Amino acid sequence: MSCCDASLVKIVNNSGTDFTVTASDGTVGNLHDLDKGTTIADQSSASGTAYSSGGTDGNCSGYVTVTTANGSYSLKLPYGFTAANNRGSCPCTASSQDQVTAANYVATAVATTGTSDGTASTVWTITTQLT
């Protein structure tokens, strides 16, 4: 088992509109609980957990795509977690992510490295910026 297993991927929606998960994929390893069709209402959040799989050296990465309720705008929100070595040892490092924008929706990530007994996390917050 990797130190990165059960790392948190969280999406906080403070945008003024509802979002729906339209795609989620563990490019390396697997992502659980942020499934397609998950609704993230305004002023609420949804979370998933990333897990490594065989042959990934304990690492996990992927993305979650969320789309506004009316289907007009999408944000592709990546995540990545890297174990300290190819045996999956701690600490697990969360990759920093660039800001993602679509129209006046802005998603900003906070990546937190795990400790020897805790998992790493990537928390995306979606807000609306005035144009």
Side-chain angles (χ1 to χ4, degrees), residues 7-128:
S7 288
L8 176 69
V9 179
K10 184 174 183 178
I11 301 171
V12 179
N13 181 9
N14 294 332
S15 68
T17 191
D18 294 351
F19 277 83
T20 301
V21 176
T22 51
S24 65
D25 182 37
T27 309
V28 174
N30 304 293
L31 178 64
H32 300 177
D33 300 329
L34 270 173
D35 301 322
K36 184 176 179 179
T38 301
T39 298
I40 310 171
D42 179 39
Q43 303 304 312
S44 70
S45 64
S47 300
T49 46
Y51 287 86
S52 61
S53 57
T56 65
D57 292 336
N59 303 326
C60 34
S61 62
Y63 67 89
V64 180
T65 302
V66 295
T67 304
T68 54
N70 63 9
S72 296
Y73 301 104
S74 293
L75 298 164
K76 185 175 180 178
L77 310 177
Y79 65 87
F81 301 104
T82 305
N85 58 40
N86 60 11
R87 296 185 306 280
S89 299
C90 294
C92 178
T93 302
S95 304
S96 62
Q97 305 293 341
D98 294 333
Q99 200 173 66
V100 177
T101 60
N104 59 335
Y105 298 106
V106 179
T108 306
V110 175
T112 305
T113 293
T115 60
S116 59
D117 59 352
T119 54
S121 64
T122 299
V123 179
W124 284 97
T125 301
I126 305 170
T127 57
T128 306

